[in-house]
């Protein structure tokens, strides 16, 4: 069961409220056929309607009780949150070193990622960009250095102490250089699987297929549909990924990241393999995610047009070492960067 954070509690309350609105129509839909059949037998129909009303009332009571409990928790978390100023940075990397035998893939690298920005990491092939991501997300254990993550719950998390499978629960989600969808599942199911950290039902609920589980699955599906709709992907929901254009698959990968309510989204070469039009579309989607879903984006990208277009801050590295950090025009004007990346004098 995930730790109850401010966001998680607020999210559950709003989800419970959405569910309460939908519950009546859900029962009506469930019994629609029976209501139709009983149309002529007025007495039986009114009995069925009474039964539905009773069930709805019962569900509402449970939800109201749950909301009361969560509201109390929310108030106490809010009090604790309000007393502390939120750190401007969401991520702080200090003196990061990652050594593979004699090779220093990342060498004494330090930078901060500000909350809410789009931060780009650039560098030629083999510069160490993916290794930086792997160290942050704990796929690799860094040789030395500090990686601190400041959650929106005002917690400072030393990511080196977090297990790789728990990083997602901290609010950090990543994509890989290749598309990593489950090919046998529909797009909707791919989305639902991506929110596995949000399930709070237990093994007992799974075995008995309890009401709690059904409610949870229903809410997760509603959330998946909402995300797909907002990113204009709803028309693909019942299709499997196989055969879809690469640009759409990349967009679906982005949509999937949102299912775990991330604070920080890490994207490894999101535009790789895309044509110009698809890249422009992707740039729009990344911007939309940053704004509409209130996320910080940290990306590695070779497409300089995309990086310069959407990033607020860019960090350029070469052979694992920092070359320059600044806004897009500062990076474009930097002599070392021109020499190393753009082939300037
Ligand atoms: N697990 C590993 N074992 C040994 N060497 C590795 C490992 N992972 C990465 N490297 C080496 O570290 C260096 C940096 O690799 P990395 O994949 O981080 O580069 P990159 O900047 O992401 O490159 P690209 O742009 O091609 O994706 C390379 O020399 C690579 O061969
Ligand atoms: Mg890479």
């Amino acid at each position: 069961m995930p730790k109850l954070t401010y966001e998680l509690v607020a999210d559950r309350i709003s989800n419970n409220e959405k569910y309460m609105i939908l519950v009546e129509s859900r029962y009506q839909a469930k019994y629609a056929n029976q209501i139709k059949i009983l149309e002529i037998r007025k007495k039986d129909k009114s009995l069925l309607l009474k039964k539905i009303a009773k069930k709805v009332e019962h569900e509402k009571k449970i939800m109201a009780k749950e909301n009361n409990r969560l509201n109390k928790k929310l108030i106490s978390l809010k009090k604790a949150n309000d007393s502390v100023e939120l750190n401007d940075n969401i991520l702080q990397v200090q003196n990061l070193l990652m050594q593979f035998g004699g090779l220093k893939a990342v060498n004494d690298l330090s930078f901060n990622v500000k909350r809410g920005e789009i931060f780009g990491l650039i560098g030629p092939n083999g510069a160490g960009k993916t290794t930086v991501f792997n160290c942050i997300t704990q796929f690799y254990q860094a040789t030395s250095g500090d990686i601190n993550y400041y959650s929106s719950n005002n917690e400072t998390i030393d990511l080196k102490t977090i297990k790789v499978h728990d990083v997602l629960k901290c609010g950090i989600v990543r994509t890989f250089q290749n598309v990593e969808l489950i090919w046998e599942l529909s797009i909707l199911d791919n989305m639902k699987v991506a929110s596995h950290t949000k399930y709070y039902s237990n093994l007992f609920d799974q075995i008995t297929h309890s009401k709690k589980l059904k409610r949870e699955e229903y809410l997760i599906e509603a959330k998946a549909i909402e995300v797909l709709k907002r990113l204009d992907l709803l028309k693909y929901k019942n299709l499997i990924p196989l055969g879809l254009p690469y640009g759409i698959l990349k967009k679906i990968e982005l949509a999937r990241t949102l299912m775990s309510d991330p604070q920080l989204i890490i994207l490894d070469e999101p535009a790789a393999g895309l044509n110009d039009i698809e890249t422009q579309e992707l740039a729009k989607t990344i911007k939309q995610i940053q704004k509409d879903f209130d996320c910080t984006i940290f990306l590695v990208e070779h497409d300089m047009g995309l990086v310069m277009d959407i990033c607020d801050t860019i960090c350029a590295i070469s052979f694992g070492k920092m070359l320059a950090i600044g806004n897009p025009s500062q990076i474009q004007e930097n002599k070392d960067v021109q020499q190393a990346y753009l082939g300037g004098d």
Side-chain angles (χ1 to χ4, degrees), residues 219-237:
L219 286 170
I220 282 173
E221 183 162 325
K223 181 172 168 182
I225 287 175
E226 195 182 318
V227 173
L228 288 173
K229 207 173 181 175
R230 281 169 79 173
L231 297 186
D232 200 19
L233 291 166
L234 196 57
K235 50 185 169 290
Y236 305 106
K237 83 176 165 76

Side-chain angles (χ1 to χ4, degrees), residues 198-215:
K198 297 281 149 186
Y199 279 82
Y200 49 95
S201 51
N202 53 29
L203 185 63
F204 178 76
D205 295 309
Q206 299 281 344
I207 293 169
T208 58
H209 213 70
S210 68
K211 261 191 181 171
K212 184 174 157 191
L213 179 83
K214 282 186 204 153
R215 194 163 63 216

Side-chain angles (χ1 to χ4, degrees), residues 128-238:
K129 304 176 298 291
T130 300
T131 306
V132 171
F133 278 6
N134 285 339
C135 289
I136 293 168
T137 50
Q138 300 308 304
F139 276 71
Y140 293 161
Q141 285 288 311
T143 312
S144 64
D146 294 317
I147 310 164
N148 284 323
Y149 168 74
Y150 301 97
S151 78
S152 53
N153 204 27
N154 282 326
E155 257 183 291
T156 305
I157 300 169
D158 174 0
L159 286 177
K160 287 175 80 180
T161 64
I162 304 289
K163 292 204 178 76
V164 62
H165 53 267
D166 285 332
V167 170
L168 189 62
K169 289 182 192 158
C170 299
I172 302 175
V173 65
R174 75 172 285 183
T175 62
F176 294 85
Q177 277 184 249
N178 304 317
V179 169
E180 300 281 348
L181 295 170
I182 305 165
W183 299 97
E184 294 80 12
L185 294 184
S186 70
I187 302 305
L188 185 61
D189 285 340
N190 263 287
M191 295 287 288
K192 282 155 72 178
V193 169
S195 67
H196 62 93
T197 55
K198 297 281 149 186
Y199 279 82
Y200 49 95
S201 51
N202 53 29
L203 185 63
F204 178 76
D205 295 309
Q206 299 281 344
I207 293 169
T208 58
H209 213 70
S210 68
K211 261 191 181 171
K212 184 174 157 191
L213 179 83
K214 282 186 204 153
R215 194 163 63 216
E216 199 170 64
E217 282 181 342
Y218 180 81
L219 286 170
I220 282 173
E221 183 162 325
K223 181 172 168 182
I225 287 175
E226 195 182 318
V227 173
L228 288 173
K229 207 173 181 175
R230 281 169 79 173
L231 297 186
D232 200 19
L233 291 166
L234 196 57
K235 50 185 169 290
Y236 305 106
K237 83 176 165 76
N238 295 322

Side-chain angles (χ1 to χ4, degrees), residues 268-304:
D268 200 353
E269 297 196 31
L274 301 185
N275 63 32
D276 287 352
I277 296 166
E278 287 170 335
T279 305
Q280 279 169 21
E281 181 67 22
L282 183 91
K284 261 196 252 162
T285 309
I286 295 174
K287 278 277 202 195
Q288 186 192 356
I289 288 174
Q290 176 207 22
K291 211 166 127 252
D292 292 2
F293 295 86
D294 202 15
C295 293
T296 307
I297 315 267
F298 181 10
L299 59 91
V300 157
E301 190 45 67
H302 280 297
D303 187 315
M304 285 303 144

